[in-house]
Amino acid sequence: MDQSIINSYHEAQKLYAAHGINVDEVLEKLAQIKISLHCWQGDDVKGFLFKDKELSGGIAVTGSYPGRAGTPDELRKDLEKALSLIPGKHKVNLHAIYADTDEQVDLDELEPRHFAPWVDWAKEQGLGLDFNPTCFSHPKAADGFTLSHADEEIRSFWIKHCKASRKISEYFGRELGQTCVTNFWVPDGYKDTPVDRLSPRIRLKESLDEVFSEEIDPKYNIDAVESKLFGIGSESYVVGSHEFYMGYGLTRGKAICLDAGHFHPTEVISNKLSSILMFSEQLLLHVSRPVRWDSDHVVTMDDELLEIARELVRGDLLGRTNIGLDFFDGSINHIAAWVIGTRNTIKALLRAMLEPVAELKAIELAGDYTSRLALVEEFKSYPFGAVWDYYCASQNTPVREQWLAEVKSYEQEVLSAR
Ligand SMILES: C[C@H](O)[C@H](O)[C@@H](O)C(=O)CO
Ligand SMILES: [Mn+2]
């Protein structure tokens, strides 16, 4: 390792030690945290089952940066590249439409074997896998309703798909020896103000109860439910609102998934974590960045990201929180997007772990809000960058922006040929 990185690290260690922070221990803890990288950033949420189908469900990818993955092998290669530039050992989050099979199989007929190549790859790479049923981009979701559809036949199709998805997740968990988190998000909603808000919610509740009727060992799979305030074409009403899933998750023992982009523009998820985890064992995060709306921009080191990380660290909530990413930017290099968003998420956690939490809590309890503000502000310019550089180097990943050159040469050698 470069001597200047080591020297800076030692200087930083001393500064943090003066506030009771053992930086070596922090880095050991940081290395245990797994981030779930969403496969759909790699190909603009197209998947492999219905390649010609337009993205639906009220989400959108803009941009046409060349080189996006077009086959499962390409996507895996791109993920490998991204993961090689990110410190730590992580997970990959798959959607059902990313099945790796030559069969013409519909969503309700999917089986674990259609994902066998993903499992082989995950084993080889030492990765965990998470999963999502895909309740969009399909003819049976054309009118914007799936599990809450008024037509029983359509509802049963989606129920079958979600049940099949849980079996795939169970298979992931069993094969990989790591719990798979299955996230249920359905886009169902109305563009304009509905007359009947209740009936679709009753149908969604009943469908979900049916989906979850089979017990699966939580060692292999845990379920999460993701709410949303609005989508494109469901601006006035979304069946699976935050209140709906708070109630559903808490009464059914399901993890609640909080997506940073799924709330009112000034509403933040960081302020929700401590409340939800008082009443729920587990939580799933979709770390994302809304810009004016649920735009799914690449995660940057903004105030909310740091606040999410602080909440997890200060409340000792990391052990019960599954951290997933959810952004899709088609206007920049797809691999760089993963690397930027994931490195930022890990770096934010590191920053939060390098704050004198015990000292700050004592100061707050004593009512010394002057010192609280002073210390929090001063710690913003403590040398966490030196610790981050050391961490990256010690994990054999590029230091600072050195990863960018690797992405650029991969773009030239691999992506430009697609
Ligand atoms: C593709 C994902 O399932 C999707 O982004 C979902 O998690 C979401 O956030 C929809 O807005
Ligand atoms: Mn999401």
Side-chain angles (χ1 to χ4, degrees):
M1 193 186 301
D2 194 308
Q3 193 56 45
S4 69
I5 293 176
I6 298 172
N7 294 344
S8 304
Y9 179 67
H10 286 151
E11 288 309 310
Q13 268 182 321
K14 285 184 219 156
L15 285 171
Y16 287 113
H19 285 273
I21 300 163
N22 182 327
V23 180
D24 287 333
E25 276 174 24
V26 164
L27 291 188
E28 270 168 39
K29 276 193 199 149
L30 188 66
Q32 303 304 315
I33 301 173
K34 287 181 191 289
I35 308 292
S36 190
L37 268 80
H38 53 314
C39 73
W40 53 94
Q41 161 55 43
D43 77 331
D44 304 336
V45 207
K46 291 204 175 300
F48 307 119
L49 281 187
F50 317 105
K51 283 182 138 201
D52 303 329
K53 195 92 193 81
E54 284 293 301
L55 177 59
S56 77
I59 52 179
V61 182
T62 52
S64 50
Y65 199 89
R68 72 175 158 73
T71 65
D73 281 335
E74 287 179 354
L75 187 55
R76 286 190 280 267
K77 278 276 154 278
D78 292 356
L79 278 161
E80 279 173 35
K81 186 75 219 171
L83 286 161
S84 74
L85 306 173
I86 296 164
K89 268 273 165 234
H90 301 288
K91 292 177 103 181
V92 167
N93 195 6
L94 295 177
H95 244 283
I97 48 171
Y98 290 82
D100 185 353
T101 175
D102 292 333
E103 288 174 43
Q104 292 285 314
V105 60
D106 207 347
L107 293 173
D108 59 334
E109 303 290 350
L110 279 172
E111 289 180 33
R113 67 194 166 84
H114 299 120
F115 290 85
W118 281 107
V119 167
D120 293 343
W121 173 76
K123 278 182 184 165
E124 184 192 294
Q125 301 288 319
L127 296 164
L129 290 176
D130 291 323
F131 199 60
N132 307 254
T134 309
C135 300
F136 52 85
S137 301
H138 187 279
K140 286 206 160 57
D143 63 1
F145 283 84
T146 61
L147 285 179
S148 73
H149 207 288
D151 179 334
E152 203 199 324
E153 212 181 298
I154 296 187
R155 240 172 26 243
S156 345
F157 172 85
W158 292 110
I159 290 171
K160 263 186 92 184
H161 171 51
C162 291
K163 284 183 157 185
S165 296
R166 292 181 81 230
K167 298 306 287 178
I168 293 161
S169 309
E170 182 187 33
Y171 159 69
F172 286 175
R174 184 180 287 117
E175 287 293 316
L176 299 172
Q178 287 188 51
T179 310
C180 171
V181 181
T182 309
N183 182 50
F184 293 80
W185 172 70
V186 298
D188 305 24
Y190 285 120
K191 181 180 181 69
D192 224 329
T193 316
V195 172
D196 182 1
R197 286 186 168 86
L198 180 61
S199 298
R201 287 187 171 135
I202 292 174
R203 288 193 290 267
L204 179 56
K205 176 176 76 92
E206 286 172 357
S207 292
L208 287 170
D209 283 348
E210 176 59 31
V211 166
F212 298 132
S213 57
E214 186 182 337
E215 286 293 325
I216 293 185
D217 190 334
K219 196 163 69 185
Y220 302 134
N221 173 63
I222 65 158
D223 305 300
V225 285
E226 180 180 11
S227 69
K228 191 162 181 173
L229 177 68
F230 78 96
I232 302 168
S234 58
E235 289 85 354
S236 305
Y237 166 78
V238 169
V239 183
S241 61
H242 182 50
E243 294 72 14
F244 176 90
Y245 281 124
M246 280 282 282
Y248 193 86
L250 293 179
T251 53
R252 269 64 177 176
K254 301 296 171 196
I256 287 160
C257 170
L258 294 176
D259 183 312
H262 285 193
F263 294 87
H264 288 280
T266 56
E267 193 178 356
V268 285
I269 64 165
S270 52
N271 194 22
K272 300 181 190 297
L273 313 187
S274 51
S275 302
I276 291 181
L277 281 171
M278 274 172 54
F279 303 103
S280 182
E281 255 318 296
Q282 296 250 351
L283 182 68
L284 172 63
L285 296 183
H286 271 189
V287 181
S288 189
R289 179 166 55 105
V291 177
R292 306 199 187 282
W293 65 292
D294 179 36
S295 56
D296 295 288
H297 278 62
V298 177
V299 168
T300 55
M301 183 60 75
D302 60 11
D303 286 350
E304 173 59 359
L305 180 66
L306 189 53
E307 210 53 34
I308 291 170
R310 283 171 166 162
E311 281 299 305
L312 295 177
V313 171
R314 291 174 184 175
D316 197 15
L317 305 176
L318 277 162
R320 295 194 287 138
T321 305
N322 304 279
I323 307 175
L325 303 173
D326 189 11
F327 48 79
F328 24 99
D329 188 339
S331 72
I332 60 173
N333 179 296
H334 293 76
I335 293 150
W338 270 319
V339 177
I340 295 166
T342 317
R343 282 177 67 113
N344 273 331
T345 304
I346 302 167
K347 202 192 288 179
L349 289 165
L350 171 65
R351 284 184 70 175
M353 291 164 116
L354 289 174
E355 288 185 340
V357 176
E359 188 181 355
L360 287 169
K361 282 185 179 172
I363 286 170
E364 182 167 272
L365 262 188
D368 183 0
Y369 305 138
T370 310
S371 300
R372 179 180 67 181
L373 184 60
L375 260 189
V376 167
E377 289 307 299
E378 286 304 330
F379 262 79
K380 285 181 179 170
S381 52
Y382 262 54
F384 64 86
V387 181
W388 172 249
D389 292 348
Y390 178 84
Y391 182 61
C392 289
S394 63
Q395 294 275 329
N396 292 318
T397 47
V399 172
R400 292 183 223 116
E401 67 276 19
Q402 281 166 14
W403 64 265
L404 184 57
E406 290 208 32
V407 170
K408 293 278 184 195
S409 64
Y410 185 78
E411 180 169 295
Q412 274 216 320
E413 285 156 24
V414 181
L415 304 183
S416 65
R418 285 181 184 165

